[in-house]
Amino acid sequence: MPLWLELVIRIGGVVAAFLVLPLLVGQAEHKVMAHMQGRLGPMYAGGFHGWAQLVADGVKFVQKEDVTPRAADRPVFRLAPAVALVPYLLALLVIPLGPNDLVGQPLDVGLFFVLAVVGVGVLAVLMSAWASANKYSLLGGLRGAAQLLGYELPLVLAAASVAMAAGTLSLSGIVEAWQPWWLIWQAPAMVVFFVAGLAEIRRPPFDMPVADSELVFGYLTEYTGLRFAFLLLAEYVGIVVIAALTTVLFLGGWQGPFADDQLGWLWTLLKVAAVSFVIIWLRVSYPRLREDQLQRLCWLVLVPTALAQLVLTAAVRVAL
């Protein structure tokens, strides 16, 4: 196969996943939350259980007027939604779906690359908050910056633990080195990574930057139409990325109960779907944390746990 054709196929697959998987997660959130709360959820758009509800929402956003506040910094205000989306697209490029280089672009330092680009998301929050010329947006942006900068540390420490255990920064290499007993040994790191990941994508109960009862809708307050839809899409893509990273780093990625690697991609998707379900479940189950509770959880619980896990991993690596 020519190199250019292989490149087109890989990039096309990643873009398709970038466009389709967040919609599936969004539709699942509609229905899962509805049933957990004793509601029906969307039932009419598209016919069968409202399967086309998110498509209808997208059409609605396209038809809405795109309003930019008069006092806003227009170039920054309009660029922020794109800055929110691009890091997740780049992250999906290097997350492996299956064995035999079934990945957009295999990198020997894939873990380092993913953690670096996902951290860029804080720029979109700050850009949208500052450029909106709105006090509620600014407060939401400051909350978001404090939250994202704080939770970046336990996220990186937890990922470093599993990378140290595997002896590589390659995401595919980590999956290949993974063993079932890591579910117990690396369990604290997995919990820290998962919780910090939720805070990174500002999902409930870590949604202080968009606390609607206090800040209208935080840094999203002034956005309308398609730009607002892009910012919402960034949240759902973030769910897919965090679920995929949790799967690859801590749940064995494409490894399943059988020796047949031909179904590896299916195991990865099933695990990503299961982790996404847990993320939705937590939104329904837990109330929003206060700002002091959020920071206390980060610095007094997650960071010490991640550091202790690093010490344990180093000790086990030396012993083995």
PDB file of all heavy atoms in Angstrom, residues 283-308:
ATOM      1  N   ARG A 283     -22.050  11.616  36.963  1.00  0.00           N
ATOM      2  CA  ARG A 283     -22.757  12.893  36.803  1.00  0.00           C
ATOM      3  C   ARG A 283     -24.125  12.843  37.470  1.00  0.00           C
ATOM      4  O   ARG A 283     -24.564  13.822  38.079  1.00  0.00           O
ATOM      5  CB  ARG A 283     -22.911  13.228  35.326  1.00  0.00           C
ATOM      6  CG  ARG A 283     -23.757  14.466  35.102  1.00  0.00           C
ATOM      7  CD  ARG A 283     -23.837  14.885  33.654  1.00  0.00           C
ATOM      8  NE  ARG A 283     -24.622  16.105  33.519  1.00  0.00           N
ATOM      9  CZ  ARG A 283     -24.765  16.777  32.396  1.00  0.00           C
ATOM     10  NH1 ARG A 283     -24.176  16.352  31.292  1.00  0.00           N
ATOM     11  NH2 ARG A 283     -25.486  17.876  32.351  1.00  0.00           N
ATOM     12  N   VAL A 284     -24.785  11.723  37.361  1.00  0.00           N
ATOM     13  CA  VAL A 284     -26.121  11.584  37.931  1.00  0.00           C
ATOM     14  C   VAL A 284     -26.061  11.388  39.444  1.00  0.00           C
ATOM     15  O   VAL A 284     -26.965  11.811  40.178  1.00  0.00           O
ATOM     16  CB  VAL A 284     -26.853  10.388  37.277  1.00  0.00           C
ATOM     17  CG1 VAL A 284     -28.246  10.223  37.859  1.00  0.00           C
ATOM     18  CG2 VAL A 284     -26.939  10.581  35.770  1.00  0.00           C
ATOM     19  N   SER A 285     -24.983  10.802  39.940  1.00  0.00           N
ATOM     20  CA  SER A 285     -24.952  10.306  41.314  1.00  0.00           C
ATOM     21  C   SER A 285     -24.423  11.311  42.330  1.00  0.00           C
ATOM     22  O   SER A 285     -24.801  11.252  43.507  1.00  0.00           O
ATOM     23  CB  SER A 285     -24.100   9.030  41.388  1.00  0.00           C
ATOM     24  OG  SER A 285     -24.605   8.038  40.514  1.00  0.00           O
ATOM     25  N   TYR A 286     -23.522  12.217  41.925  1.00  0.00           N
ATOM     26  CA  TYR A 286     -22.836  13.058  42.904  1.00  0.00           C
ATOM     27  C   TYR A 286     -23.107  14.541  42.654  1.00  0.00           C
ATOM     28  O   TYR A 286     -23.131  14.988  41.515  1.00  0.00           O
ATOM     29  CB  TYR A 286     -21.328  12.810  42.859  1.00  0.00           C
ATOM     30  CG  TYR A 286     -20.933  11.470  43.422  1.00  0.00           C
ATOM     31  CD1 TYR A 286     -20.795  10.368  42.586  1.00  0.00           C
ATOM     32  CD2 TYR A 286     -20.731  11.295  44.783  1.00  0.00           C
ATOM     33  CE1 TYR A 286     -20.452   9.127  43.092  1.00  0.00           C
ATOM     34  CE2 TYR A 286     -20.383  10.062  45.301  1.00  0.00           C
ATOM     35  CZ  TYR A 286     -20.247   8.982  44.453  1.00  0.00           C
ATOM     36  OH  TYR A 286     -19.920   7.744  44.955  1.00  0.00           O
ATOM     37  N   PRO A 287     -23.305  15.310  43.723  1.00  0.00           N
ATOM     38  CA  PRO A 287     -23.502  16.762  43.576  1.00  0.00           C
ATOM     39  C   PRO A 287     -22.178  17.460  43.298  1.00  0.00           C
ATOM     40  O   PRO A 287     -21.096  16.916  43.535  1.00  0.00           O
ATOM     41  CB  PRO A 287     -24.067  17.180  44.940  1.00  0.00           C
ATOM     42  CG  PRO A 287     -23.491  16.172  45.904  1.00  0.00           C
ATOM     43  CD  PRO A 287     -23.412  14.875  45.136  1.00  0.00           C
ATOM     44  N   ARG A 288     -22.284  18.668  42.807  1.00  0.00           N
ATOM     45  CA  ARG A 288     -21.096  19.455  42.479  1.00  0.00           C
ATOM     46  C   ARG A 288     -20.295  19.753  43.744  1.00  0.00           C
ATOM     47  O   ARG A 288     -20.847  20.100  44.787  1.00  0.00           O
ATOM     48  CB  ARG A 288     -21.510  20.753  41.814  1.00  0.00           C
ATOM     49  CG  ARG A 288     -20.363  21.669  41.422  1.00  0.00           C
ATOM     50  CD  ARG A 288     -20.861  22.985  40.851  1.00  0.00           C
ATOM     51  NE  ARG A 288     -21.659  22.747  39.663  1.00  0.00           N
ATOM     52  CZ  ARG A 288     -22.927  23.138  39.534  1.00  0.00           C
ATOM     53  NH1 ARG A 288     -23.529  23.783  40.532  1.00  0.00           N
ATOM     54  NH2 ARG A 288     -23.588  22.888  38.423  1.00  0.00           N
ATOM     55  N   LEU A 289     -18.977  19.614  43.649  1.00  0.00           N
ATOM     56  CA  LEU A 289     -18.101  19.945  44.767  1.00  0.00           C
ATOM     57  C   LEU A 289     -17.953  21.463  44.901  1.00  0.00           C
ATOM     58  O   LEU A 289     -17.986  22.184  43.912  1.00  0.00           O
ATOM     59  CB  LEU A 289     -16.716  19.339  44.552  1.00  0.00           C
ATOM     60  CG  LEU A 289     -16.618  17.809  44.515  1.00  0.00           C
ATOM     61  CD1 LEU A 289     -15.176  17.401  44.233  1.00  0.00           C
ATOM     62  CD2 LEU A 289     -17.099  17.182  45.802  1.00  0.00           C
ATOM     63  N   ARG A 290     -17.805  21.922  46.138  1.00  0.00           N
ATOM     64  CA  ARG A 290     -17.439  23.322  46.347  1.00  0.00           C
ATOM     65  C   ARG A 290     -15.986  23.518  45.940  1.00  0.00           C
ATOM     66  O   ARG A 290     -15.214  22.566  45.841  1.00  0.00           O
ATOM     67  CB  ARG A 290     -17.611  23.719  47.816  1.00  0.00           C
ATOM     68  CG  ARG A 290     -19.021  23.683  48.347  1.00  0.00           C
ATOM     69  CD  ARG A 290     -19.101  24.474  49.661  1.00  0.00           C
ATOM     70  NE  ARG A 290     -18.014  24.149  50.555  1.00  0.00           N
ATOM     71  CZ  ARG A 290     -18.084  23.252  51.551  1.00  0.00           C
ATOM     72  NH1 ARG A 290     -19.191  22.581  51.740  1.00  0.00           N
ATOM     73  NH2 ARG A 290     -17.038  23.024  52.326  1.00  0.00           N
ATOM     74  N   GLU A 291     -15.608  24.775  45.736  1.00  0.00           N
ATOM     75  CA  GLU A 291     -14.248  25.061  45.289  1.00  0.00           C
ATOM     76  C   GLU A 291     -13.215  24.576  46.304  1.00  0.00           C
ATOM     77  O   GLU A 291     -12.184  24.000  45.926  1.00  0.00           O
ATOM     78  CB  GLU A 291     -14.087  26.563  45.052  1.00  0.00           C
ATOM     79  CG  GLU A 291     -12.769  26.957  44.415  1.00  0.00           C
ATOM     80  CD  GLU A 291     -12.618  26.438  42.992  1.00  0.00           C
ATOM     81  OE1 GLU A 291     -13.645  26.204  42.320  1.00  0.00           O
ATOM     82  OE2 GLU A 291     -11.464  26.260  42.556  1.00  0.00           O
ATOM     83  N   ASP A 292     -13.472  24.784  47.588  1.00  0.00           N
ATOM     84  CA  ASP A 292     -12.507  24.334  48.594  1.00  0.00           C
ATOM     85  C   ASP A 292     -12.442  22.813  48.661  1.00  0.00           C
ATOM     86  O   ASP A 292     -11.372  22.226  48.847  1.00  0.00           O
ATOM     87  CB  ASP A 292     -12.856  24.919  49.961  1.00  0.00           C
ATOM     88  CG  ASP A 292     -14.227  24.466  50.454  1.00  0.00           C
ATOM     89  OD1 ASP A 292     -15.193  24.523  49.660  1.00  0.00           O
ATOM     90  OD2 ASP A 292     -14.337  24.039  51.607  1.00  0.00           O
ATOM     91  N   GLN A 293     -13.585  22.140  48.500  1.00  0.00           N
ATOM     92  CA  GLN A 293     -13.590  20.683  48.484  1.00  0.00           C
ATOM     93  C   GLN A 293     -12.828  20.146  47.275  1.00  0.00           C
ATOM     94  O   GLN A 293     -12.101  19.155  47.379  1.00  0.00           O
ATOM     95  CB  GLN A 293     -15.031  20.168  48.456  1.00  0.00           C
ATOM     96  CG  GLN A 293     -15.823  20.457  49.717  1.00  0.00           C
ATOM     97  CD  GLN A 293     -17.296  20.093  49.563  1.00  0.00           C
ATOM     98  OE1 GLN A 293     -17.844  20.150  48.460  1.00  0.00           O
ATOM     99  NE2 GLN A 293     -17.923  19.733  50.670  1.00  0.00           N
ATOM    100  N   LEU A 294     -12.990  20.817  46.149  1.00  0.00           N
ATOM    101  CA  LEU A 294     -12.316  20.384  44.933  1.00  0.00           C
ATOM    102  C   LEU A 294     -10.799  20.469  45.081  1.00  0.00           C
ATOM    103  O   LEU A 294     -10.071  19.528  44.729  1.00  0.00           O
ATOM    104  CB  LEU A 294     -12.795  21.254  43.768  1.00  0.00           C
ATOM    105  CG  LEU A 294     -12.306  20.908  42.367  1.00  0.00           C
ATOM    106  CD1 LEU A 294     -13.437  21.111  41.363  1.00  0.00           C
ATOM    107  CD2 LEU A 294     -11.131  21.795  41.984  1.00  0.00           C
ATOM    108  N   GLN A 295     -10.304  21.576  45.615  1.00  0.00           N
ATOM    109  CA  GLN A 295      -8.854  21.727  45.792  1.00  0.00           C
ATOM    110  C   GLN A 295      -8.325  20.815  46.891  1.00  0.00           C
ATOM    111  O   GLN A 295      -7.217  20.281  46.779  1.00  0.00           O
ATOM    112  CB  GLN A 295      -8.528  23.188  46.110  1.00  0.00           C
ATOM    113  CG  GLN A 295      -8.845  24.164  44.994  1.00  0.00           C
ATOM    114  CD  GLN A 295      -8.021  23.907  43.743  1.00  0.00           C
ATOM    115  OE1 GLN A 295      -6.953  23.293  43.801  1.00  0.00           O
ATOM    116  NE2 GLN A 295      -8.507  24.368  42.597  1.00  0.00           N
ATOM    117  N   ARG A 296      -9.106  20.607  47.934  1.00  0.00           N
ATOM    118  CA  ARG A 296      -8.670  19.717  49.012  1.00  0.00           C
ATOM    119  C   ARG A 296      -8.531  18.281  48.512  1.00  0.00           C
ATOM    120  O   ARG A 296      -7.581  17.578  48.856  1.00  0.00           O
ATOM    121  CB  ARG A 296      -9.659  19.782  50.173  1.00  0.00           C
ATOM    122  CG  ARG A 296      -9.176  19.028  51.424  1.00  0.00           C
ATOM    123  CD  ARG A 296     -10.168  19.119  52.561  1.00  0.00           C
ATOM    124  NE  ARG A 296     -10.352  20.505  52.982  1.00  0.00           N
ATOM    125  CZ  ARG A 296     -11.502  21.169  52.847  1.00  0.00           C
ATOM    126  NH1 ARG A 296     -12.552  20.584  52.301  1.00  0.00           N
ATOM    127  NH2 ARG A 296     -11.600  22.410  53.259  1.00  0.00           N
ATOM    128  N   LEU A 297      -9.483  17.850  47.691  1.00  0.00           N
ATOM    129  CA  LEU A 297      -9.403  16.505  47.124  1.00  0.00           C
ATOM    130  C   LEU A 297      -8.133  16.343  46.294  1.00  0.00           C
ATOM    131  O   LEU A 297      -7.464  15.300  46.356  1.00  0.00           O
ATOM    132  CB  LEU A 297     -10.636  16.235  46.261  1.00  0.00           C
ATOM    133  CG  LEU A 297     -10.648  14.912  45.476  1.00  0.00           C
ATOM    134  CD1 LEU A 297     -10.672  13.723  46.425  1.00  0.00           C
ATOM    135  CD2 LEU A 297     -11.847  14.865  44.527  1.00  0.00           C
ATOM    136  N   CYS A 298      -7.792  17.377  45.535  1.00  0.00           N
ATOM    137  CA  CYS A 298      -6.621  17.299  44.679  1.00  0.00           C
ATOM    138  C   CYS A 298      -5.337  17.215  45.498  1.00  0.00           C
ATOM    139  O   CYS A 298      -4.551  16.271  45.342  1.00  0.00           O
ATOM    140  CB  CYS A 298      -6.579  18.510  43.750  1.00  0.00           C
ATOM    141  SG  CYS A 298      -5.074  18.626  42.743  1.00  0.00           S
ATOM    142  N   TRP A 299      -5.129  18.182  46.395  1.00  0.00           N
ATOM    143  CA  TRP A 299      -3.822  18.322  47.040  1.00  0.00           C
ATOM    144  C   TRP A 299      -3.649  17.430  48.270  1.00  0.00           C
ATOM    145  O   TRP A 299      -2.512  17.084  48.620  1.00  0.00           O
ATOM    146  CB  TRP A 299      -3.592  19.783  47.417  1.00  0.00           C
ATOM    147  CG  TRP A 299      -3.519  20.669  46.228  1.00  0.00           C
ATOM    148  CD1 TRP A 299      -4.464  21.545  45.784  1.00  0.00           C
ATOM    149  CD2 TRP A 299      -2.453  20.739  45.278  1.00  0.00           C
ATOM    150  NE1 TRP A 299      -4.054  22.167  44.632  1.00  0.00           N
ATOM    151  CE2 TRP A 299      -2.821  21.684  44.295  1.00  0.00           C
ATOM    152  CE3 TRP A 299      -1.221  20.097  45.161  1.00  0.00           C
ATOM    153  CZ2 TRP A 299      -1.996  22.002  43.222  1.00  0.00           C
ATOM    154  CZ3 TRP A 299      -0.407  20.411  44.084  1.00  0.00           C
ATOM    155  CH2 TRP A 299      -0.790  21.353  43.136  1.00  0.00           C
ATOM    156  N   LEU A 300      -4.734  17.070  48.930  1.00  0.00           N
ATOM    157  CA  LEU A 300      -4.614  16.274  50.159  1.00  0.00           C
ATOM    158  C   LEU A 300      -4.935  14.803  49.964  1.00  0.00           C
ATOM    159  O   LEU A 300      -4.640  13.992  50.843  1.00  0.00           O
ATOM    160  CB  LEU A 300      -5.530  16.849  51.253  1.00  0.00           C
ATOM    161  CG  LEU A 300      -5.240  18.286  51.673  1.00  0.00           C
ATOM    162  CD1 LEU A 300      -6.165  18.705  52.811  1.00  0.00           C
ATOM    163  CD2 LEU A 300      -3.774  18.451  52.087  1.00  0.00           C
ATOM    164  N   VAL A 301      -5.531  14.442  48.834  1.00  0.00           N
ATOM    165  CA  VAL A 301      -5.894  13.041  48.600  1.00  0.00           C
ATOM    166  C   VAL A 301      -5.212  12.497  47.346  1.00  0.00           C
ATOM    167  O   VAL A 301      -4.458  11.527  47.405  1.00  0.00           O
ATOM    168  CB  VAL A 301      -7.429  12.877  48.485  1.00  0.00           C
ATOM    169  CG1 VAL A 301      -7.780  11.415  48.198  1.00  0.00           C
ATOM    170  CG2 VAL A 301      -8.120  13.340  49.760  1.00  0.00           C
ATOM    171  N   LEU A 302      -5.470  13.110  46.199  1.00  0.00           N
ATOM    172  CA  LEU A 302      -4.997  12.537  44.943  1.00  0.00           C
ATOM    173  C   LEU A 302      -3.481  12.622  44.792  1.00  0.00           C
ATOM    174  O   LEU A 302      -2.837  11.639  44.388  1.00  0.00           O
ATOM    175  CB  LEU A 302      -5.679  13.234  43.762  1.00  0.00           C
ATOM    176  CG  LEU A 302      -7.201  13.088  43.670  1.00  0.00           C
ATOM    177  CD1 LEU A 302      -7.711  13.704  42.372  1.00  0.00           C
ATOM    178  CD2 LEU A 302      -7.624  11.631  43.760  1.00  0.00           C
ATOM    179  N   VAL A 303      -2.896  13.767  45.081  1.00  0.00           N
ATOM    180  CA  VAL A 303      -1.443  13.911  44.920  1.00  0.00           C
ATOM    181  C   VAL A 303      -0.676  12.974  45.856  1.00  0.00           C
ATOM    182  O   VAL A 303       0.233  12.256  45.411  1.00  0.00           O
ATOM    183  CB  VAL A 303      -1.022  15.377  45.111  1.00  0.00           C
ATOM    184  CG1 VAL A 303       0.510  15.490  45.174  1.00  0.00           C
ATOM    185  CG2 VAL A 303      -1.547  16.246  43.977  1.00  0.00           C
ATOM    186  N   PRO A 304      -0.996  12.919  47.176  1.00  0.00           N
ATOM    187  CA  PRO A 304      -0.283  11.956  48.030  1.00  0.00           C
ATOM    188  C   PRO A 304      -0.481  10.503  47.592  1.00  0.00           C
ATOM    189  O   PRO A 304       0.453   9.702  47.647  1.00  0.00           O
ATOM    190  CB  PRO A 304      -0.889  12.204  49.420  1.00  0.00           C
ATOM    191  CG  PRO A 304      -1.395  13.594  49.377  1.00  0.00           C
ATOM    192  CD  PRO A 304      -1.881  13.791  47.976  1.00  0.00           C
ATOM    193  N   THR A 305      -1.703  10.161  47.148  1.00  0.00           N
ATOM    194  CA  THR A 305      -1.952   8.789  46.684  1.00  0.00           C
ATOM    195  C   THR A 305      -1.116   8.470  45.456  1.00  0.00           C
ATOM    196  O   THR A 305      -0.537   7.384  45.351  1.00  0.00           O
ATOM    197  CB  THR A 305      -3.446   8.601  46.368  1.00  0.00           C
ATOM    198  OG1 THR A 305      -4.226   8.887  47.527  1.00  0.00           O
ATOM    199  CG2 THR A 305      -3.725   7.175  45.918  1.00  0.00           C
ATOM    200  N   ALA A 306      -1.045   9.409  44.523  1.00  0.00           N
ATOM    201  CA  ALA A 306      -0.248   9.186  43.312  1.00  0.00           C
ATOM    202  C   ALA A 306       1.234   9.058  43.635  1.00  0.00           C
ATOM    203  O   ALA A 306       1.940   8.221  43.052  1.00  0.00           O
ATOM    204  CB  ALA A 306      -0.488  10.327  42.323  1.00  0.00           C
ATOM    205  N   LEU A 307       1.739   9.878  44.575  1.00  0.00           N
ATOM    206  CA  LEU A 307       3.140   9.774  44.965  1.00  0.00           C
ATOM    207  C   LEU A 307       3.432   8.442  45.648  1.00  0.00           C
ATOM    208  O   LEU A 307       4.467   7.803  45.387  1.00  0.00           O
ATOM    209  CB  LEU A 307       3.505  10.937  45.893  1.00  0.00           C
ATOM    210  CG  LEU A 307       3.577  12.322  45.235  1.00  0.00           C
ATOM    211  CD1 LEU A 307       3.772  13.400  46.289  1.00  0.00           C
ATOM    212  CD2 LEU A 307       4.708  12.374  44.212  1.00  0.00           C
ATOM    213  N   ALA A 308       2.504   7.994  46.511  1.00  0.00           N
ATOM    214  CA  ALA A 308       2.679   6.697  47.166  1.00  0.00           C
ATOM    215  C   ALA A 308       2.675   5.568  46.139  1.00  0.00           C
ATOM    216  O   ALA A 308       3.447   4.605  46.244  1.00  0.00           O
ATOM    217  CB  ALA A 308       1.580   6.487  48.204  1.00  0.00           C
TER     218      ALA A 308
END
